[in-house]
Amino acid sequence: MIFAKKQSDLARALVLHLGFDLTPTPQEDFARVEAKLGKKRAEKVRPQLDRVLDQLARLQPNWDRMTLDEAAHWAAAELQERWPELDARAYAAIVWAASYGWK
């Protein structure tokens, strides 16, 4: 797995939007993205962020063969493959969000 070297706006937006390391459980809040990136950069990255979150919501783990942890890591790997600008921190945020979302 290869991660982006410099955190992209998409990776940063994903982490902020989900509340990774900011909230006890995933809580989507685009205002955090706007506060950190500024309105112009946030609005520019929003369509990509929405697509990533939509793709995450549509993933279908094989619950007959995967544990919750395995499914969350599988989902993060799937999205990182589709969105190479996602870094290790965004990967961790996806694992965290998927783990809570699929409980």
Side-chain angles (χ1 to χ4, degrees), residues 15-92:
V15 169
L16 290 166
H17 184 66
L18 293 175
F20 186 63
D21 284 342
L22 299 171
T23 60
T25 60
Q27 298 173 17
E28 293 185 15
D29 185 355
F30 194 71
R32 285 190 294 258
V33 179
E34 291 177 328
K36 293 291 184 183
L37 295 182
K39 286 199 179 272
K40 188 175 183 179
R41 283 172 60 199
E43 286 306 317
K44 186 176 179 183
V45 77
R46 189 172 202 159
Q48 291 175 303
L49 175 63
D50 290 344
R51 284 195 299 273
V52 170
L53 294 172
D54 183 59
Q55 289 175 5
L56 175 59
R58 293 174 185 270
L59 289 175
Q60 299 280 324
N62 182 339
W63 294 114
D64 293 332
R65 297 182 357 174
M66 292 181 188
T67 65
L68 177 60
D69 186 59
E70 289 168 340
H73 282 275
W74 166 80
E78 285 287 314
L79 292 176
Q80 202 278 325
E81 185 175 311
R82 297 174 189 182
W83 301 91
E85 61 268 54
L86 297 179
D87 62 6
R89 190 158 162 74
Y91 182 95

Side-chain angles (χ1 to χ4, degrees), residues 2 5 10 45 53 72 88 96-97:
I2 298 171
K5 293 181 188 215
L10 176 59
V45 77
L53 294 172
W96 178 66

